[in-house]
Amino acid sequence: MPAPPGKDQSARPPACGAPRYLIETWGCQMNSHDSERMAAVLAAQGMTPAAGEGHADLILLNTCAVREKAAEKIFSRLGQLRSLKRRRPDLVLAVCGCVAQLEKERIFRRAPHVDFVMGPRHLASLARLVEEARLRRHAVAVFDPRDRVLPEDPGVALRSSPAKAYVTVMEGCNKPCTFCIVPLTRGPEAFRPPEAILEEVERAARDGVLEVELLGQTVNAYRAGGWDFTRLVAAVSRLPGLRRVRFTSSHPVHLKESLLRLMSATPVLCPSIHLPAQSGSNRILSAMRRGYTREEYLSLVASARSWVPGVAFSSDFIVGYPGETEAEFEETLSLIREAGFQQVYAFVFSPRPGTPAAQIEDDVPRRVKEERLQRLLGVQAAISLAINRSYVGRVEEVLVEGPSANDPEDLAGRTATGRVVNFAGDHDRIGTIVPLRISRAAPNSLCGELPSGAPPLTSPGGNDINANGSMRRGGSLS
């Protein structure tokens, strides 16, 4: 795995041979998949992954603009790379993804050592932009937000794990949420043809991938011809070779009973739903233009659990939206307790340029936002721990994704409900599904043990972990 930013690898030039690249990824699963696709483009150009920034001929920052803090981290990272670029002017440095789309040419003013910027729908231009940058010509590529066109086949991906494949089914968003910058950075909704999606999933299954995750900003809004999202998921779930199918992120307005019925009757469809709520207050939900009430949201959760007992929910929340009172924040806490989320992603409100909420007075003091955020996270940590403790003693099927983040000598994988399980085992189990007896629980993960005498397993086809030379800085797709 590449060394983290700020560590000193900058003094050593790349070794002779094929040019090397490093991709650093901020944000959600879609950004991660975009990085996999970028890695495949670079590999086709004869480039290989770099061990760190000091070994790279090309550094791509694949960025997220959903939160103000995330965007500012990109410029901080560019500042860290300035001295490396000064010592090695032949190094190509680029900003890709949502910050590139949002900031466009302004990036060159704040960070003139950047060679090119590229919006998220212009991955097909990557090879050309790299070549132009090598010739020392600055280049800019940004998509037109009015462009609804997506390629039928977005290109091959150099997967970061043999265990699973991300498959984009749609991009963009048409929702009017006041706080969200996605329509400005990813554009309006655009849907891939179902035949192209099924062909890509079939290719992944032939490669030995056991799990696919269908991606979209509002993935369950998918529609193409006579196809809706339920029909698409049903077709994907019938493809041979797959053991698991997931999807993210869902919007509450589009969570249909037909999808819940399908989940209840389809063993390969994981009983896990990411359903961003954003607030538990009806007044705040209305101000956000979310399109549903607190009662309607909780009714969806209850309906899902009636169809799929044990289904795991995760969610997103914004703390300190303009005008949020203490009582309205308490409504959010009560919704979290009532819904019983397995996991939440929560952030303090930050106005994003060009969104309606940026025009509203940001009247909740920063200290109040931070204090509320910590209270929310504390409430959720207790809920997550209680849920995780319920796993202890059970045997769970775990898809082994790679080395554990806690100890690279150990392994980590996920249950069908998405719980991370760390365990000791041979690395030839990566990319396989193994039974693990859950032995310990923490708020964010589980520990498991292989049954005694479990035979070694051989990994199916796929790429080595981190073979695409990318670094992930996580988040959720919301």
Side-chain angles (χ1 to χ4, degrees):
M1 176 178 290
K7 302 300 181 183
D8 181 25
Q9 316 117 40
S10 59
R12 293 174 291 176
C16 295
R20 299 179 183 179
Y21 67 88
L22 178 67
I23 305 173
E24 296 182 6
T25 306
W26 281 260
C28 63
Q29 294 94 326
M30 187 166 283
N31 278 35
S32 293
H33 184 43
D34 286 347
S35 291
E36 293 178 339
R37 291 162 58 193
M38 292 178 197
V41 170
L42 299 175
Q45 301 302 309
M47 302 188 74
T48 60
E53 65 188 43
H55 298 271
D57 300 283
L58 166 68
I59 298 177
L60 301 179
L61 305 186
N62 187 17
T63 62
C64 173
V66 170
R67 313 292 173 193
E68 181 180 25
K69 190 174 182 180
E72 284 305 314
K73 284 181 179 179
I74 304 305
F75 288 103
S76 175
R77 180 68 177 126
L78 288 172
Q80 294 172 357
L81 292 170
R82 184 182 294 110
S83 59
L84 176 61
K85 177 73 171 178
R86 188 179 299 121
R87 288 192 294 272
R88 289 188 43 227
D90 59 324
L91 170 69
V92 175
L93 176 61
V95 180
C96 309
C98 293
V99 170
Q101 176 61 45
L102 182 66
E103 296 290 338
K104 302 181 175 70
E105 294 88 345
R106 290 190 296 270
I107 290 175
F108 294 134
R109 293 199 290 272
R110 292 188 62 174
H113 52 295
V114 169
D115 290 292
F116 68 87
V117 300
M118 183 182 77
R121 286 196 189 176
H122 273 261
L123 298 188
S125 302
L126 179 59
R128 173 181 61 80
L129 292 172
V130 170
E131 183 59 29
E132 289 183 356
R134 284 176 172 171
L135 297 174
R136 318 321 308 159
R137 295 201 302 266
H138 281 174
V140 179
V142 290
F143 71 78
D144 184 336
R146 296 169 297 181
D147 184 5
R148 298 179 63 89
V149 177
L150 277 180
E152 291 193 6
D153 186 345
V156 296
L158 191 58
R159 301 186 193 100
S160 57
S161 169
K164 69 180 294 180
Y166 293 122
V167 176
T168 298
V169 304
M170 55 97 61
E171 277 205 31
C173 183
N174 291 350
K175 296 292 179 291
C177 303
T178 57
F179 57 83
C180 187
I181 203 166
V182 167
L184 298 177
T185 58
R186 291 273 180 176
E189 291 174 349
F191 307 100
R192 292 179 62 200
E195 298 82 8
I197 296 168
L198 295 175
E199 182 181 351
E200 184 177 346
V201 174
E202 284 181 312
R203 287 201 306 265
R206 287 196 299 268
D207 288 342
V209 165
L210 299 181
E211 175 181 306
V212 296
E213 186 164 359
L214 307 180
L215 301 181
Q217 268 75 29
T218 52
V219 69
N220 56 340
Y222 178 86
R223 58 190 183 278
W227 291 65
D228 66 0
F229 188 63
T230 300
R231 182 179 176 186
L232 178 67
V233 173
V236 169
S237 300
R238 288 193 295 267
L239 294 176
L242 294 180
R243 295 283 298 277
R244 290 182 178 178
V245 176
R246 300 185 189 275
F247 53 88
T248 199
S249 271
S250 298
H251 192 285
V253 168
H254 299 290
L255 186 59
K256 297 180 179 179
E257 186 177 286
S258 60
L259 182 63
L260 301 176
R261 289 201 305 268
L262 178 68
M263 186 176 287
S264 71
T266 308
V268 300
L269 188 51
C270 291
S272 177
I273 302 174
H274 184 70
L275 196 68
Q278 305 301 358
S279 176
S281 160
N282 281 337
R283 191 190 71 81
I284 296 295
L285 288 171
S286 177
M288 291 177 168
R289 301 180 192 166
R290 288 293 289 172
Y292 53 85
T293 65
R294 167 198 180 94
E295 292 76 18
E296 288 167 341
Y297 183 93
L298 289 172
S299 177
L300 288 172
V301 172
S303 177
R305 287 184 170 141
S306 69
W307 280 104
V308 190
V311 63
F313 276 93
S314 56
S315 193
D316 295 343
F317 288 91
I318 293 174
V319 173
Y321 187 83
E324 182 188 68
T325 66
E326 176 65 20
E328 288 166 341
F329 173 68
E330 287 289 345
E331 290 183 274
T332 293
L333 295 185
S334 70
L335 182 141
I336 289 172
R337 294 187 182 101
E338 188 169 345
F341 297 111
Q342 183 172 265
Q343 183 178 19
V344 303
Y345 300 91
F347 307 89
V348 298
F349 170 78
S350 59
R352 308 307 296 124
T355 63
Q359 308 304 314
I360 306 172
E361 181 186 0
D362 188 8
D363 58 354
V364 181
R366 182 75 187 189
R367 61 175 179 77
V368 173
K369 293 178 184 177
E370 295 289 352
E371 186 269 340
R372 289 177 182 172
L373 177 64
Q374 294 309 310
R375 284 162 59 194
L376 185 155
L377 295 176
V379 167
Q380 181 57 44
I383 294 170
S384 296
L385 180 59
I387 292 173
N388 284 354
R389 282 175 172 165
S390 71
Y391 282 81
V392 174
R394 288 158 48 177
V395 175
E396 293 284 327
E397 285 194 341
V398 173
L399 177 61
V400 186
E401 297 182 345
S404 168
N406 297 333
D407 184 345
E409 294 299 314
D410 290 340
L411 296 172
R414 290 184 186 270
T415 66
T417 54
R419 287 289 75 193
V420 173
V421 185
N422 299 291
F423 69 103
D426 296 331
H427 280 223
D428 61 2
R429 294 182 183 275
I430 293 172
T432 68
I433 293 177
V434 298
L436 294 177
R437 185 175 299 279
I438 306 304
S439 56
R440 296 197 311 276
N444 297 318
S445 64
L446 303 166
C447 290
E449 300 172 352
L450 285 163
S452 59
L457 300 174
T458 302
S459 234
N463 303 299
D464 293 337
I465 295 297
N466 297 317
N468 68 359
S470 65
M471 299 171 63
R472 169 74 191 279
R473 301 160 193 271
S476 74
L477 196 71
S478 61

